[in-house]
Amino acid sequence: NEKPIIRPYTPTSSSDLEGELHFIIKRYEEGKMSQHIHSLKPGEKLAIKGPIMKIPYKGENYPSQFC
């Protein structure tokens, strides 16, 4: 009956690496998600989704396609 653990992470891999997705995830002693990810063995699966869209910042130096 536990709720799913959801945490945002930013990929560190290049979008040119088709079929690969890289993250840097620090393990925290009290972190449920980081502990789970670090306990996975090669070949085990982890469900991910994304991206989560945000409202673009309309700042002075922001690309015009977002303003």
Side-chain angles (χ1 to χ4, degrees), residues 11-23 48:
T12 58
S13 52
S14 169
S15 59
D16 296 340
L17 295 174
E18 189 172 324
E20 292 187 31
L21 188 59
H22 298 219
F23 295 94
I48 61 171

Side-chain angles (χ1 to χ4, degrees), residues 4-11 21 23 46-53:
I5 300 170
I6 300 171
R7 297 287 183 270
Y9 293 101
T10 301
L21 188 59
F23 295 94
L46 178 68
I48 61 171
K49 67 176 190 173
I52 300 171
M53 300 304 294

Side-chain angles (χ1 to χ4, degrees), residues 8-39:
Y9 293 101
T10 301
T12 58
S13 52
S14 169
S15 59
D16 296 340
L17 295 174
E18 189 172 324
E20 292 187 31
L21 188 59
H22 298 219
F23 295 94
I24 297 173
I25 300 173
K26 182 177 178 181
R27 181 177 50 191
Y28 292 94
E29 292 303 319
E30 301 297 323
K32 290 181 180 182
M33 180 57 79
S34 67
Q35 289 290 327
H36 174 69
I37 290 172
H38 280 269
S39 74

